[in-house]
Amino acid sequence: MTAPIAPDVRTLPRRAAPEADPRPNLIGLTRAELRAALIAAGTPEGQARMRTGQLWQWLYHWGVRDFAQMTNLAKEYRAFLAANFRIALPEVVVRQVSADGTRKYLLRIEGGHEVETVYIPEEDRGTLCVSSQVGCTLTCSFCHTGTQRLVRNLTAAEIVGQVMVARDDLGEWPVPGAPKDETRLLSNLVLMGMGEPLYNFEAVRDAMQIVMDGEGLSLSRRRITLSTSGVVPEIARTAAEIGCLLAVSFHATTDAVRDTLVPINRKWNIATLLGALRDYPRLSNSERITFEYVMLKGVNDSDEDARRLVRLIAGIPAKINLIPFNPWPGAPYERSDWARIEAFADIIYKAGYASPIRTPRGEDIMAACGQLKSETERARRVRAPAD
Ligand code: SAH
Ligand code: SF4
């Protein structure tokens, strides 16, 4: 079956460039920032708390984008808001749907840059894989994003915006008066798209605070997983200031191999990383850490590696996600054979750990783990001579 691919909407007429609009964007402000922005624009201090709560619900509970629809606010106040602020989200440039139902969105953000977001429907959940940067400063040798140099960090608005545009596409905002729907299409969020979330800590934290807020998008911190390549100094802070579940891109069992696969290991090696991970469940009051392990043929997939992995993580409440390598054009690795992956999984399982093998999703649209890469860099280079 071939993947039904939505028309490339690049050919559609563009809206005015959002950067031409000087009004501050309300999306992505924390409650405290929203309140301060309302006061700075002239809202009386005594009203600001109530107005913040009302706006919050319109933006993040109902998904309303037009001040005129905020019917519990006086007409004059709606006009005041429209004159002083805007409600701006990333623009969906291309939407692709895989044969397996995975959806990939190419989003355009301010400055004309592009990032990708992926929605993965499963039987018991729907997971949105969110990006935190355009490109990545790190250069993990098996990762497509790692071949694109960092263009910039995403703002909190652009991170929350990914959740909001996915909800738009899934048609999932509540309808006033309709019975409450307890089953959510977008029920889980993973920070596993493009970029290293812990190199963009503040924006990721603020965005997650907004996503977790019970009067808005209301995703529980236990349904959010942040994946890091191992930015050790930010791990305790993640526990304290976000408190979500943590996944770590482990991928090797010796420093020599991890140094080549995940080069940040040269800064914070396996022993240092494990030290920080040992403290995380207690600090964040969460149950277990997910160890991500990409299966690369002949590189990190031996029985010895599996046994070493078990010894290394002893004492850490853990689950090991085995990710069959997802190829990309020019990648210097091959996926381990299926029998090898199963043998590796078996050793870990017998040692008492859950060791699910991640079925690649959305491979036909290059949406699987590690396949995301936007054209931002190339597009800039192509355009450069005309600039
Ligand atoms: N930068 C963060 C989060 C994004 S990557 C991090 O590195 O943790 C999400 C997961 O996919 C990581 O575990 C990453 O190592 C893995 N990954 C990257 N490239 C891959 C590929 N080609 N095949 C399979 N998994 C890959
Ligand atoms: Fe960056 Fe993560 Fe890819 Fe490494 S695996 S290059 S940290 S996105």
Side-chain angles (χ1 to χ4, degrees):
M1 196 168 125
T2 54
I5 298 195
D8 185 337
V9 291
R10 277 169 206 261
T11 49
L12 297 179
R14 310 227 69 81
R15 290 202 306 264
E19 48 270 47
D21 189 334
R23 296 171 301 166
N25 188 7
L26 290 184
I27 302 296
L29 301 182
T30 60
R31 274 182 187 267
E33 287 168 346
L34 179 55
R35 182 171 175 277
L38 294 180
I39 293 171
T43 303
E45 280 212 41
Q47 285 181 19
R49 199 161 162 263
M50 185 175 74
R51 298 287 174 237
T52 301
Q54 289 168 318
L55 258 169
W56 194 272
Q57 281 214 336
W58 286 118
L59 295 175
Y60 299 118
H61 178 75
W62 299 111
V64 162
R65 305 287 151 74
D66 181 356
F67 293 112
Q69 288 174 25
M70 301 185 175
T71 46
N72 62 352
L73 299 175
K75 259 213 171 109
E76 300 72 55
Y77 194 67
R78 286 183 244 165
F80 157 84
L81 289 172
N84 287 285
F85 300 105
R86 65 198 166 105
I87 301 168
L89 293 177
E91 184 185 357
V92 180
V93 181
V94 183
R95 168 185 180 273
Q96 287 173 287
V97 183
S98 156
D100 70 13
T102 300
R103 302 182 187 200
K104 183 168 87 168
Y105 309 98
L106 178 70
L107 305 178
R108 174 160 306 144
I109 56 171
E110 291 189 20
H113 305 304
E114 291 173 346
V115 280
E116 295 189 311
T117 303
V118 178
Y119 173 73
I120 307 143
E122 287 174 277
E123 229 158 72
D124 60 337
R125 67 180 66 185
T127 304
L128 192 72
C129 180
V130 168
S131 292
S132 56
Q133 299 181 310
V134 185
C136 189
T137 46
L138 301 171
T139 51
C140 303
S141 50
F142 53 89
C143 173
H144 202 201
T145 311
T147 65
Q148 179 185 2
R149 67 170 181 81
L150 179 79
V151 179
R152 74 162 165 85
N153 278 335
L154 297 188
T155 62
E158 290 158 351
I159 298 170
V160 178
Q162 295 173 59
V163 182
M164 297 175 79
V165 295
R167 284 203 113 191
D168 290 352
D169 186 50
L170 295 166
E172 197 171 40
W173 295 102
V175 178
K180 202 168 172 221
D181 185 0
E182 297 295 346
T183 57
R184 289 173 64 158
L185 292 171
L186 198 171
S187 62
N188 291 61
L189 187 154
V190 293
L191 282 150
M192 295 188 185
M194 296 164 64
E196 167 51 60
L198 296 189
Y199 275 156
N200 186 15
F201 188 86
E202 282 83 10
V204 166
R205 176 200 56 205
D206 290 354
M208 291 308 106
Q209 296 292 352
I210 294 169
V211 165
M212 292 187 288
D213 189 293
E215 284 176 38
L217 292 160
S218 198
L219 269 188
S220 141
R221 68 187 183 87
R222 290 172 190 283
R223 289 184 171 271
I224 298 175
T225 304
L226 183 151
S227 175
T228 181
S229 57
V231 185
V232 167
E234 304 290 353
I235 288 179
R237 214 173 151 206
T238 305
E241 298 180 32
I242 307 177
C244 60
L245 304 180
L246 188 71
V248 62
S249 294
F250 209 65
H251 304 322
T253 59
T254 63
D255 282 323
V257 176
R258 198 164 189 271
D259 279 351
T260 66
L261 297 181
V262 189
I264 201 175
N265 194 68
R266 294 179 206 150
K267 204 161 183 181
W268 295 293
N269 66 12
I270 290 180
T272 313
L273 175 59
L274 287 171
L277 297 179
R278 264 177 224 291
D279 294 334
Y280 192 85
R282 180 179 48 80
L283 294 176
S284 64
N285 193 21
S286 65
E287 292 110 47
R288 50 185 188 172
I289 308 255
T290 300
F291 285 78
E292 295 162 288
Y293 199 96
V294 64
M295 299 299 294
L296 304 170
K297 193 179 206 158
V299 175
N300 63 356
D301 61 353
S302 69
D303 285 354
E304 209 188 331
D305 279 307
R307 285 192 285 266
R308 220 172 4 235
L309 179 59
V310 168
R311 283 200 299 276
L312 283 170
I313 66 174
I316 303 179
K319 165 176 120 178
I320 293 97
N321 258 349
L322 299 177
I323 317 176
F325 171 64
N326 295 310
W328 37 272
Y333 298 103
E334 280 178 71
R335 179 181 289 179
S336 307
D337 297 331
W338 196 251
R340 181 88 299 272
I341 300 179
E342 284 190 328
F344 194 100
D346 205 46
I347 292 172
I348 295 167
Y349 180 75
K350 289 205 173 108
Y353 296 97
S355 55
I357 303 171
R358 255 250 216 110
T359 326
R361 297 292 304 265
E363 274 186 301
D364 52 347
I365 55 168
M366 286 283 286
C369 284
Q371 291 186 320
L372 304 185
K373 181 185 180 201
S374 73
E375 304 266 323
T376 289
E377 193 184 4
R378 204 178 75 201
R380 287 191 338 166
R381 215 179 298 135
V382 169
R383 274 199 298 270
D387 280 348

